[in-house]
């Protein structure tokens, strides 16, 4: 089973990972991080395939994928 971690302090809320996740398992948090952005949050570990598209499109390198 795959696992992803999103560093909320590095994330600037661009939404690329949200738009590119084929399973739609990432959304933007309603809370702010320390820099004033709405960081991405991962919603369901069980459904993640570990494709790593989210990590590849993240311009801030805020996402790590473990397989």
């Amino acid at each position: 089973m795959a696992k992803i971690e999103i560093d909320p302090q590095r994330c600037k809320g661009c939404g690329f990972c949200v738009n590119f996740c084929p399973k739609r398992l990432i959304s933007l948090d309603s809370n702010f991080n320390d820099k004033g952005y709405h960081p991405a949050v991962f919603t369901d570990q069980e459904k993640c395939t570990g494709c790593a598209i989210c990590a590849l499109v993240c311009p801030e390198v805020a996402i790590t994928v473990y397989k």
Side-chain angles (χ1 to χ4, degrees):
M1 175 174 27
K3 177 185 174 189
I4 71 169
E5 290 181 359
I6 302 172
D7 182 345
Q9 298 310 317
R10 290 189 90 167
C11 180
K12 290 187 178 174
C14 69
F16 289 162
C17 58
V18 175
N19 293 329
F20 282 94
C21 178
K23 298 283 188 172
R24 301 286 181 223
L25 301 177
I26 305 172
S27 61
L28 294 181
D29 196 352
S30 59
N31 297 316
F32 294 102
N33 63 13
D34 291 344
K35 295 177 184 172
Y37 299 109
H38 293 281
V41 291
F42 189 54
T43 57
D44 194 349
Q45 291 284 358
E46 298 293 320
K47 295 180 183 175
C48 181
T49 62
C51 70
I53 293 172
C54 56
L56 291 172
V57 299
C58 181
E60 302 303 321
V61 193
I63 303 174
T64 305
V65 179
Y66 300 97
K67 293 184 181 185

